[in-house]
Amino acid sequence: MSQQSEFIFALSTTVFLAYVVLVGTHSKHSAMPLQKHCRKLCSQASKIFRKFLVHILQQGPIPKHVAFIMDGNRRFARKSHQVTTSGHVAGFHKLANVLEWCNDLGIKHVSVFAFAINNFNRSEEEVSALMHLAKDKLKELADNSELVRYHGARIRIVGNKALLPSEVRQVMDYAEKTTQDNKGMTLNVCFPYSSTDEMTSAIRALIDDAESGKLQESKISEGALESRLQIPGPDLDILVRTSGQIRFSNFMLWQSSKMAYIQFIDVYWPEFSLFHMLSIMISWQCAYLGIEKKKQTVAECARPCMLSASVSDDETCCSEREAA
């Protein structure tokens, strides 16, 4: 930190403390006004500081697609001595915060793991509560959220919706249709979802198109399969999992394999903070050039070496590129 920056920080701190002392001293009931003014001032300072940090980060590369495994809601509830449903509600509120941060940063695609297919194995009471929560919160998100109303976010539901109750599917269809023409951030809500189910569905669609003549056999490729996956959009840049668990839980396995930057954070999802988000962004920006160089090397190796005389020459060529 430069001397000028240190001076500005010290001056700002002094002004803040002086304000607090003066407000508290000249108040008839000093405790309440002091608390009220401190809370208001801290809130305003937090917003200004957040905008300042976001502005700095925007000078570097910004990921196009970020995904979250929102893990730890139930453990957060137990830790807070609350019922399980309270943890899921807290998790939804945290999602609203995180989407706001992503929007401020300029991230255009966000995917969230809201409900896994194997979550149907949980107790009937918890599954029912999650279905009710999904209905209420998705409609709230589509109708009343600032993200949709002011920033034009688009909501997409990803997964095997045939497994859901009809009333939940209706709300999901409503959320998708009312936001389908929006041009802002795209939010992929994975509910209910598993990566193996996604890949199986893509393979089935590929076979159907080939058998019906829509797709020529010579056109069957990795790209053709990828275009039939449930989660569209650009390559996944960052995958974040909270709760300290180091596993993918069958989420976006195909997308993660394409040089996604993986971050496992040891906090429960409702405790995930702006500090964690910005730390991940800074870490990814520092690694960005290396990731892009590796992607380019892999892309070059995926293409036949035009100057090679044989397959073995191709393999040698690619090995040399990877070593470089």
Side-chain angles (χ1 to χ4, degrees):
M1 185 182 289
S2 66
Q3 290 184 344
Q4 184 179 10
S5 299
E6 291 177 350
F7 172 75
I8 293 173
F9 177 77
L11 180 62
S12 302
T13 304
T14 302
V15 170
F16 170 74
L17 292 174
Y19 175 82
V20 169
V21 170
L22 287 172
V23 169
T25 303
H26 291 87
S27 171
K28 292 182 180 180
H29 305 284
S30 59
M32 289 304 293
L34 176 61
Q35 187 179 31
K36 180 180 177 181
H37 283 286
C38 280
R39 204 180 296 123
K40 182 179 179 181
L41 192 60
C42 286
S43 176
Q44 292 174 343
S46 176
K47 290 180 180 179
I48 293 171
F49 188 56
R50 188 179 84 186
K51 289 182 179 179
F52 173 69
L53 290 176
V54 167
H55 177 72
I56 291 175
L57 286 173
Q58 286 176 332
Q59 307 313 303
I62 297 297
K64 296 181 178 66
H65 191 175
V66 177
F68 297 94
I69 300 176
M70 306 181 293
D71 193 26
N73 291 336
R74 294 190 298 171
R75 278 165 284 169
F76 172 79
R78 288 196 293 267
K79 173 185 172 183
S80 306
H81 306 291
Q82 299 175 353
V83 296
T84 300
T85 307
S86 298
H88 293 305
V89 171
F92 173 82
H93 291 309
K94 179 54 61 177
L95 173 60
N97 294 146
V98 172
L99 292 176
E100 183 182 346
W101 304 337
C102 289
N103 186 73
D104 289 347
L105 286 163
I107 299 169
K108 294 300 183 183
H109 296 264
V110 177
S111 298
V112 295
F113 201 5
F115 191 87
I117 289 178
N118 64 11
N119 285 159
F120 283 112
N121 296 327
R122 294 182 180 180
S123 69
E124 185 178 342
E125 181 183 1
E126 184 177 356
V127 171
S128 177
L130 284 168
M131 293 299 148
H132 284 295
L133 184 65
K135 280 196 307 179
D136 294 343
K137 297 306 181 183
L138 269 175
K139 193 168 190 313
E140 180 182 329
L141 190 64
D143 288 340
N144 301 317
S145 68
E146 290 189 9
L147 192 70
V148 170
R149 286 190 298 163
Y150 300 125
H151 300 293
R154 179 190 177 194
I155 299 172
R156 293 187 72 259
I157 309 301
V158 175
N160 194 341
K161 289 188 280 188
L163 300 175
L164 296 172
S166 59
E167 63 271 18
V168 177
R169 293 200 303 270
Q170 288 174 4
V171 173
M172 289 180 168
D173 290 341
Y174 171 80
E176 287 188 303
K177 288 177 181 177
T178 55
T179 64
Q180 63 184 357
D181 295 325
N182 291 352
K183 304 300 182 184
M185 172 198 291
T186 295
L187 171 63
N188 298 311
V189 181
C190 301
F191 193 114
Y193 171 90
S194 80
S195 189
T196 47
D197 180 72
E198 177 185 31
M199 288 187 277
T200 301
S201 299
I203 293 170
R204 189 181 297 116
L206 199 65
I207 294 172
D208 290 344
D209 289 345
E211 290 180 343
S212 65
K214 292 181 181 179
L215 180 69
Q216 297 178 5
E217 185 176 341
S218 60
K219 299 295 184 181
I220 295 177
S221 63
E222 179 181 320
L225 177 62
E226 188 169 80
S227 67
R228 288 163 174 78
L229 293 174
Q230 295 168 354
I231 302 180
D235 284 351
L236 180 63
D237 292 305
I238 303 174
L239 173 65
V240 179
R241 181 184 183 129
T242 54
S243 86
Q245 297 293 316
I246 304 177
R247 50 194 171 90
F248 290 95
S249 294
N250 208 354
F251 180 62
M252 294 185 75
L253 300 181
W254 179 286
Q255 295 85 350
S256 298
S257 70
K258 294 179 171 292
M259 301 294 172
Y261 191 66
I262 313 299
Q263 291 285 287
F264 297 104
I265 309 299
D266 194 13
V267 295
Y268 299 138
W269 173 249
E271 298 171 327
F272 186 74
S273 67
L274 178 62
F275 170 79
H276 294 113
M277 185 70 195
L278 297 181
S279 297
I280 291 168
M281 282 291 299
I282 292 170
S283 180
W284 176 81
Q285 287 183 337
C286 291
Y288 175 76
L289 291 178
I291 294 171
E292 290 302 303
K293 183 178 179 181
K294 186 67 175 176
K295 282 184 177 181
Q296 183 178 1
T297 300
V298 171
E300 289 174 354
C301 289
R303 297 195 303 267
C305 264
M306 300 305 294
L307 300 178
S308 298
S310 66
V311 174
S312 60
D313 289 335
D314 286 344
E315 292 173 351
T316 302
C317 175
C318 290
S319 298
E320 289 173 351
R321 287 171 182 166
E322 289 182 349

